[in-house]
Amino acid sequence: MQGMKKLGVGAVGLFLSLSARADFTWNFPEPVTPMALDTLHVHNKFMLITAVIFVAVLAIMIYSIVTHRQSKGYKPVADKAPSTAVEIFWTLIPFAILLLIDFVIMGIPAYHSVVMMEDTRDQSTMVIKITGSQWRWQYEYLDGDAKGIKFVSNLATTNGQMHNEEDKGEHYLLEVDNPLVLPVGEKVRILMTASDVLHNWWVPQFGSSRVAVPGFIRETWVQVEKAGVYRGQCKELCGKGHGYMPVVVNAVSKEEFAQWANKKQDEQKAASDVKEMTKDALMVQGKVVYEKNCAVCHQVTGAGLPPAFPALTGSKIATGAIFGSDGKYQKDSHLDRVLNGKGVMPAWKATLNDTEIAAVITYERNALGNTAAVDAIVQPAQVKAARE
Amino acid sequence: MSTTTVAHHDEHHDHPTGIMRWLTTTNHKDIGTMYLTFSLVMFLVGGSMILGIRAELFKPGLQLMNPEFFNQLIGVHALIMIFAALMPAATGFANWMLPLQIGAPDMALPRLNNWGFWILPPSAILLTLPFTLALFGVGDGALATGWTFYPPLSVQGGIGVDFAIFAVHLLGISSVLGSINIIVTIYNMRAPGMTLMKMPMFAWGWLITAFLLIATIPVLAGAVTMLLTDRHFGTHFFDAAGGGDPIMFQHLFWFFGHPEVYILLLPVWGFIPQILQTFSRKPMYGYKAQVYSLWAIGALAVVVWAHHFFTAGMPVPALLYFMYSTMAISLPLAVLFYCWIRTMWKGSMSFETPMLFTVGWIILFGIGGLTGLVLADVAADAQYHNSYFVVAHFHYTLFAGGIMGIMAGVYYWLPKMTGHMYNEKLGKLHFWLTAISFNVTFIPQFFVGLAGMPRRIPDYALQFAEFNMISTVGAFVLGLSQLLFVYIIISCVKGGQKATDRVWEGAQGLEWTLSSPPPYHSFTEQPVVK
Ligand code: HEM
Ligand SMILES: [Cu+2]
C-alpha cells in the first residue's frame, strides 16, 4: 500500500487525482473466513516454492550466459555420453525431487484445502440461497432467525459516477442498496443458482467463489470470523452488466443479526399486504423501481438500445391493453412481459413484489413519454391475481 | 548435392508470376509466406483491438466505449490472436521449414495445402465483419461472450455469435487440413536415412500438435454446432429447462481448449532447441528426453481439461484428479527446461536477435509455467479464477511463450527465407522494447488479480487504478514496438546484406545446406542422412 502510493505519486501527476481509494493489497486481501485463511496459506507457500525454483534456475542460466559466451573466447564443451548408471541417477533424483514438491509439499495441503472447501454441511447452522440474475443478486434466508427474508441487491453507484460526471465515492462500483447480512461466527451453507446466465458469487476476503448455474444448485459455505463490511464482484462474464454486479456482505454479531432479521421480516410482511394505492403513490415508487431495475437496458428515458433492447416510449406493449373483457391479463401484454419476461428480458415475478410490479407498470405507462388511455393504472391486487 | 544444379533446374521450370503466383500457388514456401503474412496482419488487428480495451481501462469510469462493445473487443481479440495469429504462424513455419528440414521437395499434399490457406481469409472476415459493421451502426456487433462461447450467454447473443461459430468451423477445417498434410509429409517424405528418432525437433513438435488438432478440433466443432442448434433450432443441449446442462458445454469446449494451449506451444518447443543449439554452438542436449517429454505433455494435455472451471462445481474426487493431473504436467515440462538450459551450459554462446528472443522466451515462459502450476491448486484457484491473475498468467504463456517464440523463429529463419540479413541493431532494439514493455504490461495484472480485480470488466474499483494505468502504458509501448518488427521484416524482404547459405555459424540441419533463399523446388535431389 505504501509502496503503491509512492509509485503512484511518483510516476505521473494523474495519479494524484485518484485520492479516494480503499486499501490496495499486493496479495490476497486480508482473509476473514477459515477458507480464505487456508487459501492464503496455500497460495503463499506455493508462490514461495515456485519463486525459489525460478530464482535458482534463473541464476544458473545467468551464470552460464555471463561466462560461457563466444565473445569471451569460451569454447563449447561437448556433452560426453554419460554411463548408464550416472544417467539413471541424474534422471531419478530430479524426478524424485519434483514428485516430492508437486505431490507431497504442494499436493498434501492442497488435498486438505479441497476437502475443507467442499464440506458445506458439517457444522453449518444456517442455509441461504443466492440467485444470480442479469445483473443483480437475490438473497433468500431458508431457515433460522431470518427464515423467509428475501430481497434483491443492486449496484448503488450512480450513472453519473460511472460516466465521470460526478466524483467517484470511496466504494465506487462496490456498493449496493441491500447488502447480504450474515451473523459472525456461524457456518452458513450457501445454495447457489442463477435465473438466466452463469454468474459467480465472489468475495475475495471469504475465499469462496462459486458459479451460479441456471437450473442447477451449487453449494459453498462461508463462516465470517470478524464483523465488518466485505465487498466483491460477479466473476463470470454475464453480459453487459457484468462489471456492475457487486456483492456486499455485512457481517454483524448474532444479536444484531436477530434484530435485523426481525425488522426485515416485519417490513416484508407490511409490504406484502396488498393495499389499494393512488396513482401518485404508484408513480413515485414506480420511478424508483424503474431506475433501479429496468433502466440498465431500457435507459432512464425509455429510449432503449435497439435492436437488442426495445424502446418503451411509444411501445405497443407499454401503451396497449393489459386486461381482457374477462378482467384477466392477456398474453403478451405489459403485465405478462414484466411477470414472465421473454428472451433477454428477465422474468420479474420472483424478484419484485406485487406492489413493485404494479408501480413500475403504472410508471412506464404514464411516464417515459407514454400516456396510456386503457389500463393506465395497475393495482397490486391485480398483480397478485395475475400470479395465480 | 550441389545447390547450383538445383537453382539451374529452377530456371527451366516456369510458374505463374505476379498476383497469380500467390493466388494459385501450391508451393510450400509461397504458402508458408502467405500464412506468415496473414498471421502478422491479424496479430496487428488483434493487437489494436486490445489497445482499445487498455485505453478504456486506463482509468476508472467509462470513457471510450460502452460495456457491450468492450465485451466484443475482448472476445474477438482472443479469437484472432489464437486462431488467426498464433496458429497460422506455426503453420506458416511448418510449410516453409518442414520440407527443408526433412529433405523433401514440397509438402505431400500441395493442393490441400493451398485450400487450407484460402479458408483462412474468409473466416477472418467472418470474425471481424459484424464488429466492423457495428462501428458504422449496422447490426448488434460481434460475439460478446469472450472467446469461450459459454452458454447461456452465447444463446442470448446476437448474430455475431453465429458469425463466430462459422468462423471457428472454417478455422477448424483449415487446421485439420494442415495437420493431415503435416502428418503425411512427415511420415512419407523424409530423406533416406532420416529415421523418426533422427528427425529435427521441430518436426516432432508439429507431429504431436497435428495429432492433437485432429483429436480435438472436431469436439470444438461439435460443441459450437450444438450451440448453434440451441440458438436456432430449439434443441436444449445446454439448457436446463429442456434437460441440458450449461456446464456440459464447458467440458466439451475445454476438451478442445486445453490441448489448444499446447497446440500453440508445441511447434515453438520444437524450434527453440534448434535455435539454442545454433547459438550455443553445441548439439542440443537430451534429444530423446525432449521427444518423450513432448509426447508426455501432448498426452497429459487431453486429460486435464476441467481445471478451467473448478469453481463451476464438481465432485471432490474429480477436483482432486484434475488438480493432480495438472500438476503432473510440470514433470515433463521441467525436463524440457532442463534440456534447454543444459544445451546452453558450457556452450559458446553469442546473442544475435534470435538468441535474445529465445533466452527471453525461456525466462518469461518459465513465469507462465510456474504460475500455471500454482493455478492447478483447486482451493487457491477459487481466488485466481477469472481474475486478472489468470489474464497475466496466460499472456506469459501465449504472448511470451507463443508470440515471442515465433519472433525468435522469424529472426532465425528470415535470412534463409529472404536471402538477406535483417538489421541486427533494430532487431535487438525490438527485442528489448518487447521484453520490457511486455513485463510492464502484465506484471501489474498479477497484482490487481490477487487483490481481487475480476477479468472481463469494463470498469473497476478505485484501488486498482494505479496498476491499470501502468499496464496500459506498457501495452501501448508493446503495441507500437511491433511496428518496428514490421519495418524490420519489410526492409529485410526488400534488400540488405546478402545472407550466406548457412547464415549462422553454428546452424545445424538440412535447411542450411540450400541456398538463401532456397530454390523454388526445394530438394530436387533427395539428400541422404547418415
Ligand atoms: C499487445 C499484446 C496484448 C495485450 C496488451 C493483451 C491484453 C489483453 C487484455 C487486456 C485482455 C482482456 C482481459 C480481460 O478483461 O479478461 C486480453 C484477453 C485475452 N488475450 Fe490478450 N493481449 C495481448 C496479446 C495476446 C496474444 C498474443 C494472445 C494469444 C495468442 C492473447 C490472448 C488473449 C486471450 C485468450 C484473452 C481472453 C479473452 C477472453 O476473456 O475471452 N492476447 N488480452
Ligand atoms: Cu454476473
Side-chain angles (χ1 to χ4, degrees):
Chain A
M1 170 79 197
Q2 275 320 84
M4 186 57 223
K5 269 202 171 133
K6 265 186 225 138
L7 193 65
V9 174
V12 203
L14 267 172
F15 288 136
L16 289 172
S17 61
L18 304 162
S19 49
R21 73 178 65 84
D23 334 34
F24 184 87
T25 54
W26 289 82
N27 207 337
F28 291 167
E30 185 208 348
V32 294
T33 65
M35 198 195 282
L37 190 66
D38 187 69
T39 310
L40 178 69
H41 286 162
V42 170
H43 161 78
N44 282 346
K45 187 171 176 188
F46 285 18
M47 281 294 172
L48 193 71
I49 295 172
T50 53
V52 168
I53 298 175
F54 181 71
V55 170
V57 173
L58 189 66
I60 295 171
M61 231 177 106
I62 289 179
Y63 172 81
S64 179
I65 288 171
V66 171
T67 44
H68 310 146
R69 39 166 82 220
Q70 192 189 34
S71 55
K72 286 195 159 178
Y74 198 92
K75 293 273 174 303
V77 178
D79 294 303
K80 286 190 295 291
S83 73
T84 314
V86 171
E87 195 163 11
I88 290 174
F89 178 82
W90 276 112
T91 315
L92 288 186
I93 293 296
F95 206 74
I97 295 175
L98 278 172
L99 278 177
L100 184 78
I101 294 176
D102 270 12
F103 296 111
V104 179
I105 303 181
M106 294 173 77
I108 291 175
Y111 171 84
H112 288 291
S113 306
V114 176
V115 171
M116 169 201 205
M117 192 162 205
E118 294 296 314
D119 177 12
T120 60
R121 288 167 203 240
D122 194 30
Q123 296 185 342
S124 77
T125 54
M126 214 180 122
V127 185
I128 59 174
K129 181 175 150 207
I130 302 180
T131 309
S133 308
Q134 283 169 320
W135 289 279
R136 52 188 54 79
W137 294 103
Q138 303 171 44
Y139 298 113
E140 186 175 351
Y141 295 75
L142 299 184
D143 61 3
D145 285 346
K147 184 168 179 180
I149 294 180
K150 203 174 149 179
F151 56 88
V152 180
S153 178
N154 289 293
L155 174 71
T157 302
T158 62
N159 244 309
Q161 289 185 25
M162 297 194 274
H163 289 92
N164 306 314
E165 290 145 6
E166 294 162 30
D167 285 342
K168 296 181 173 41
E170 188 189 354
H171 299 299
Y172 176 68
L173 292 186
L174 298 178
E175 48 201 347
V176 297
D177 51 359
N178 291 312
L180 177 67
V181 180
L182 292 179
V184 165
E186 305 269 333
K187 177 165 175 179
V188 181
R189 184 169 156 226
I190 297 179
L191 305 182
M192 189 83 60
T193 188
S195 63
D196 35 45
V197 302
L198 304 174
H199 300 272
N200 187 327
W201 193 85
W202 182 42
V203 180
Q205 286 181 274
F206 295 174
S208 57
S209 146
R210 194 46 94 229
V211 178
V213 186
F216 292 86
I217 298 278
R218 297 285 192 256
E219 292 186 37
T220 184
W221 60 276
V222 296
Q223 181 176 356
V224 190
E225 311 272 21
K226 201 174 127 196
V229 181
Y230 303 104
R231 296 166 200 279
Q233 277 174 287
C234 175
K235 212 166 66 151
E236 184 77 48
L237 181 57
C238 55
K240 73 193 180 70
H242 169 51
Y244 306 99
M245 212 178 143
V247 176
V248 178
V249 179
N250 208 349
V252 297
S253 69
K254 278 184 198 133
E255 299 74 49
E256 272 176 84
F257 180 75
Q259 278 170 4
W260 169 84
N262 268 333
K263 200 169 131 251
K264 199 84 180 173
Q265 275 159 340
D266 290 345
E267 274 175 29
Q268 216 156 283
K269 216 170 274 138
S272 67
D273 290 339
V274 268
K275 297 189 287 279
E276 188 79 358
M277 287 174 76
T278 63
K279 181 174 175 191
D280 287 347
L282 285 168
M283 289 294 283
V284 170
Q285 191 177 356
K287 183 167 193 306
V288 177
V289 177
Y290 180 81
E291 276 162 17
K292 205 183 264 178
N293 300 292
C294 322
V296 245
C297 297
H298 296 292
Q299 308 299 300
V300 184
T301 57
L305 284 172
F309 306 108
L312 294 179
T313 311
S315 119
K316 267 205 211 92
I317 291 180
T319 52
I322 297 178
F323 300 103
S325 46
D326 56 355
K328 289 224 171 78
Y329 79 101
Q330 295 173 329
K331 202 171 170 311
D332 280 326
S333 66
H334 197 167
L335 182 54
D336 181 27
R337 196 58 91 246
V338 175
L339 277 179
N340 302 316
K342 186 183 178 189
V344 190
M345 163 86 176
W348 294 93
K349 62 177 169 225
T351 339
L352 299 177
N353 66 32
D354 299 339
T355 317
E356 286 166 326
I357 292 185
V360 79
I361 293 182
T362 307
Y363 176 76
E364 285 175 352
R365 299 174 83 76
N366 296 287
L368 312 175
N370 288 337
T371 44
V374 277
D375 303 328
I377 298 176
V378 175
Q379 286 292 346
Q382 289 173 302
V383 179
K384 193 174 172 156
R387 281 184 200 267
E388 285 141 19
Chain B
M1 189 204 62
S2 115
T3 44
T4 44
T5 44
V6 178
H8 179 73
H9 174 93
D10 202 33
E11 282 152 26
H12 288 270
H13 192 100
D14 58 357
H15 48 79
T17 51
I19 184 80
M20 283 317 282
R21 164 176 172 193
W22 298 104
L23 289 178
T24 60
T25 186
T26 53
N27 180 278
H28 75 98
K29 289 188 288 292
D30 285 354
I31 291 179
T33 304
M34 291 198 294
Y35 266 107
L36 289 169
T37 314
F38 175 80
S39 152
L40 182 61
V41 172
M42 295 314 284
F43 174 57
L44 298 177
V45 172
S48 22
M49 287 183 172
I50 213 63
L51 291 187
I53 292 289
R54 282 300 347 160
E56 174 58 58
L57 293 172
F58 182 65
K59 64 186 183 106
L62 285 177
Q63 29 275 331
L64 300 173
M65 55 187 80
N66 60 40
E68 186 70 13
F69 189 68
F70 181 95
N71 292 345
Q72 295 173 17
L73 280 184
I74 288 183
V76 179
H77 157 73
L79 285 172
I80 287 186
M81 284 300 191
I82 291 172
F83 287 103
L86 211 37
M87 284 171 78
T91 319
F93 279 148
N95 270 303
W96 246 103
M97 291 302 158
L98 278 183
L100 302 189
Q101 289 198 336
I102 63 173
D106 202 324
M107 296 295 280
L109 310 165
R111 275 178 228 289
L112 193 76
N113 212 9
N114 169 293
W115 191 27
F117 173 78
W118 283 109
I119 293 176
L120 286 182
S123 50
I125 292 171
L126 280 180
L127 268 184
T128 46
L129 188 69
F131 164 87
T132 318
L133 288 177
L135 276 181
F136 296 99
V138 182
D140 47 13
L143 92 166
T145 63
W147 78 290
T148 48
F149 291 92
Y150 284 179
L153 188 63
S154 52
V155 176
Q156 280 186 356
I159 186 98
V161 177
D162 303 317
F163 272 79
I165 288 175
F166 287 128
V168 164
H169 279 147
L170 290 183
L171 292 161
I173 292 173
S174 167
S175 319
V176 171
L177 295 182
S179 302
I180 292 172
N181 206 352
I182 286 166
I183 293 175
V184 175
T185 307
I186 289 178
Y187 275 112
N188 294 307
M189 312 269 289
R190 273 169 293 131
M194 184 181 279
T195 59
L196 282 177
M197 275 323 244
K198 276 189 188 162
M199 214 161 62
M201 192 58 82
F202 180 52
W204 272 118
W206 244 114
L207 187 64
I208 298 166
T209 303
F211 282 126
L212 282 179
L213 274 167
I214 290 178
T216 62
I217 287 272
V219 180
L220 173 71
V224 293
T225 309
M226 287 155 85
L227 186 63
L228 195 73
T229 62
D230 265 14
R231 282 170 57 75
H232 298 293
F233 305 112
T235 55
H236 295 92
F237 291 113
F238 308 125
D239 179 7
D245 183 351
I247 304 303
M248 182 171 74
F249 180 87
Q250 304 192 6
H251 282 280
L252 295 173
F253 179 86
W254 286 108
F255 183 78
F256 148 81
H258 189 76
E260 171 69 8
V261 180
Y262 295 93
I263 288 167
L264 296 171
L265 297 180
L266 277 162
V268 180
W269 294 341
F271 62 72
I272 285 286
Q274 299 180 347
I275 301 179
L276 275 178
Q277 68 179 2
T278 299
F279 294 96
S280 304
R281 294 170 182 77
K282 176 170 169 276
M284 74 177 70
Y285 181 82
Y287 172 85
K288 270 193 205 156
Q290 291 193 48
V291 171
Y292 295 143
S293 301
L294 294 185
W295 275 112
I297 292 171
L300 283 170
V302 281
V303 296
V304 298
W305 71 90
H307 67 212
H308 289 272
F309 45 97
F310 280 148
T311 58
M314 254 176 266
V316 173
L319 290 173
L320 292 171
Y321 161 73
F322 283 110
M323 173 167 82
Y324 288 129
S325 54
T326 304
M327 285 179 166
I329 298 184
S330 67
L331 300 170
L333 207 47
V335 175
L336 288 181
F337 271 93
Y338 178 73
C339 293
W340 298 333
I341 293 172
R342 186 64 200 264
T343 304
M344 293 162 67
W345 187 254
K346 298 199 172 171
S348 172
M349 280 184 272
S350 60
F351 294 90
E352 289 86 345
T353 312
M355 183 63 165
L356 280 181
F357 268 99
T358 301
V359 172
W361 178 92
I362 295 179
I363 297 170
L364 297 177
F365 175 62
I367 296 178
L370 288 169
T371 48
L373 179 58
V374 185
L375 280 166
D377 180 64
V378 175
D381 184 66
Q383 297 281 45
Y384 309 132
H385 177 68
N386 272 351
S387 78
Y388 257 85
F389 185 86
V390 169
V391 178
H393 153 74
F394 69 67
H395 283 89
Y396 271 85
T397 54
L398 295 180
F399 190 99
I403 298 281
M404 284 176 70
I406 295 282
M407 285 171 177
V410 169
Y411 284 108
Y412 183 56
W413 282 316
L414 203 53
K416 170 59 58 185
M417 298 194 279
T418 62
H420 306 290
M421 288 309 288
Y422 59 87
N423 184 326
E424 190 64 60
K425 269 216 185 78
L426 289 183
K428 286 186 170 147
L429 179 66
H430 173 228
F431 167 76
W432 287 110
L433 282 173
T434 303
I436 292 170
S437 58
F438 169 79
N439 284 297
V440 174
T441 309
F442 291 105
I443 287 177
Q445 297 187 5
F446 279 125
F447 291 112
V448 286
L450 293 179
M453 179 167 162
R455 70 193 270 212
R456 297 168 164 173
I457 55 172
D459 193 6
Y460 48 82
L462 300 183
Q463 75 254 35
F464 307 124
E466 285 89 348
F467 275 174
N468 272 293
M469 254 178 206
I470 299 171
S471 182
T472 298
V473 172
F476 272 85
V477 178
L478 182 57
L480 293 176
S481 316
Q482 303 322 312
L483 297 179
L484 183 61
F485 184 45
V486 176
Y487 172 79
I488 294 170
I489 293 175
I490 292 178
S491 45
C492 177
V493 171
K494 287 214 168 130
Q497 190 199 330
K498 202 81 199 79
T500 56
D501 290 359
R502 189 159 290 275
V503 184
W504 312 109
E505 186 194 336
Q508 298 171 26
L510 289 178
E511 77 260 41
W512 309 105
T513 61
L514 293 174
S515 61
S516 302
Y520 194 74
H521 293 288
S522 307
F523 286 97
T524 38
E525 283 165 44
Q526 251 185 344
V528 177
V529 178
K530 278 175 278 301

